[in-house]
Every structure is written in structure tokens, then in C-alpha cells.
Amino acid sequence: MNEGVANSFVGRYFQFKERDARFSKEFQGATTTFLAMAYILAVNPRILADSGGSCVPPEGGSIFSPEYEDCLLEIRKQFVTATAVASLFGCFLMGFIANLPIALSCGMGMNAYFTYSVVGWRGTGSVSYQSAVTAVLIEGFIFALLSVTGIRFIIVKLIPEPVRVATPAGIGAFLAHLGLQTAEGIGVVVSDIATAVTLGGCTPENRTPMIAYDDLCIADANNCVTSDAYTC
């Protein structure tokens, strides 16, 4: 099979013989890479949906109203599709144009910055979702220009090596923290008023749920929305 693929049009296009590559080895590498990146299909939509997307609270309601929650659910489904399409497009370009065995997908770091620092949780930040998306579009054109002209490579080389090495580790620690939380993962860490996070795993009777203390909650305790996060 390896010899047949190497002599085919696909093998000649990807220079199997010149690179001493084998189809079986490439298939193993592709499968391993996909399994290592598949979490992005779940985590990226989850993070981006926390921005609220294009959802707006209903008249007389809030960001905790059932209508808003339904909109977030639909937005999350759309983000799953967008994540998959963006990954497909990036991998296709990298394989067929650059002819390199590198998988591309959504950046796991910029999405958190976009949601929690720029737009804010459910749109409570200083920048609207529409304005932030427009800025991302402009940023994409700028990055494309920098890449074509070679300026991007020069800028990357100017970044100190310790920063380049530490950045992936920091992103990995952030993703691990998400997986350890209650809502996104296994509940090893939970919320804490004093230290932000603390060890979880306490029994249900010892759990104190986190409540969204907004204006509606202040006016009527029956309107308070209980989060799936808790503290022990």
C-alpha cells in the first residue's frame, strides 16, 4: 500500500519519495494530531459562547432569562460548525498550498482574551460583540499582509525565546484549568470568594451554589439565577 500511494498522483504531489515518507506513517501521524486537537471543537464554542455572541436580552429581561439561554445554545451550535469549517479550511491550505504536514485550527488563547477581556462574559465588557468581530476581521487582513511580505517572521524572531516557549505552556495550563472546573470538566476545582478557586469534590450537602446577584435578584429573590458553579 505504501508503494502504491507513493507512485500515485497524491504521492508525487506530496513528494513521498523525496521526503522518504510512508502513507501508513502519515496516517498514524494524522490520526494522532486529530485526536490531540479534537478538544477544540468543544472548548472553542464553549468559550466564545460565553461572550454572548449576537444574542441580546429580551425586553424587560436579562442575560439570565430563558430566552437568552436558548439563544446561547443556538449560538454555541453555530460556533461548533464555524470551528470545524475554519479548521478544515486552514488544514486544506496548509496541505495543498504550503505542502506541509501541519494541522491548523482556532487559537486557544485569543478566544479567551476575546471573550473575557474584550467583549466580557455575556457582553458585559466595554466593547460590543459586533465591534470586536470587526476588529478580528481587520486583524486577519493585517496578519495576511504581514505573512505575505515576510514581516511576520521578523517580528516573531524579535520575541524572546523564553516567551515563545512559555506561551504554549501557559495556554495548556489554562485549558487544564477549564477541564478541572465543574461546568466544563470533572469538578476538581471550584469557585472560592477569597482565592477565586479551591479544591472541590465536597459532598452535595456541603456545596454552596454561586448566584448571579444582578438587579433582578436584588429586587426579588425568586429571580435569582443559580449557576452550575459552587464553592465548598
Side-chain angles (χ1 to χ4, degrees):
M1 182 180 64
N2 290 326
E3 190 65 25
V5 173
N7 293 326
S8 66
F9 170 77
V10 174
R12 293 193 300 271
Y13 181 82
F14 290 108
Q15 302 175 347
F16 269 49
K17 291 186 176 181
E18 291 82 351
R19 296 175 174 178
D20 194 24
R22 291 181 297 168
F23 176 76
S24 58
K25 207 56 135 176
E26 297 297 318
F27 183 81
Q28 293 175 12
T31 303
T32 303
T33 303
F34 172 78
L35 293 176
M37 297 175 59
Y39 75 93
I40 297 177
L41 284 172
V43 178
N44 187 55
R46 171 85 189 198
I47 293 177
L48 292 179
D50 278 349
S51 69
S54 57
C55 298
V56 294
E59 187 175 353
S62 69
I63 58 176
F64 303 103
S65 60
E67 296 85 356
Y68 192 87
E69 295 287 349
D70 291 340
C71 180
L72 286 182
L73 181 60
E74 183 62 30
I75 283 292
R76 191 172 300 157
K77 294 178 181 178
Q78 295 177 13
F79 281 143
V80 171
T81 303
T83 301
V85 172
S87 302
L88 171 66
F89 187 69
C91 292
F92 180 84
L93 291 180
M94 181 61 72
F96 284 91
I97 296 181
N99 203 346
L100 292 173
I102 300 175
L104 299 178
S105 190
C106 303
M108 300 304 297
M110 288 302 298
N111 53 3
Y113 174 75
F114 174 91
T115 296
Y116 303 115
S117 298
V118 179
V119 180
W121 186 73
R122 298 197 176 185
T124 55
S126 57
V127 180
S128 68
Y129 174 80
Q130 290 77 9
S131 299
V133 170
T134 303
V136 171
L137 177 63
I138 298 174
E139 173 196 22
F141 283 112
I142 294 176
F143 269 111
L145 179 62
L146 293 178
S147 298
V148 170
T149 57
I151 300 177
R152 176 181 175 275
F153 179 77
I154 298 175
I155 295 176
V156 170
K157 296 298 289 184
L158 293 176
I159 300 176
E161 184 178 0
V163 176
R164 297 202 303 268
V165 174
T167 298
I171 295 175
F174 170 73
L175 296 176
H177 176 65
L178 290 179
L180 294 175
Q181 294 179 22
T182 305
E184 293 84 1
I186 59 179
V188 174
V189 297
V190 296
S191 303
D192 186 83
I193 297 176
T195 60
V197 293
T198 187
L199 289 177
C202 54
T203 56
E205 58 269 18
N206 293 324
R207 297 177 182 178
T208 302
M210 306 298 289
I211 297 177
Y213 199 63
D214 59 356
D215 293 337
L216 293 177
C217 181
I218 296 174
D220 186 355
N222 293 324
N223 293 327
C224 295
V225 178
T226 302
S227 170
D228 52 4
Y230 65 89
T231 185
C232 294

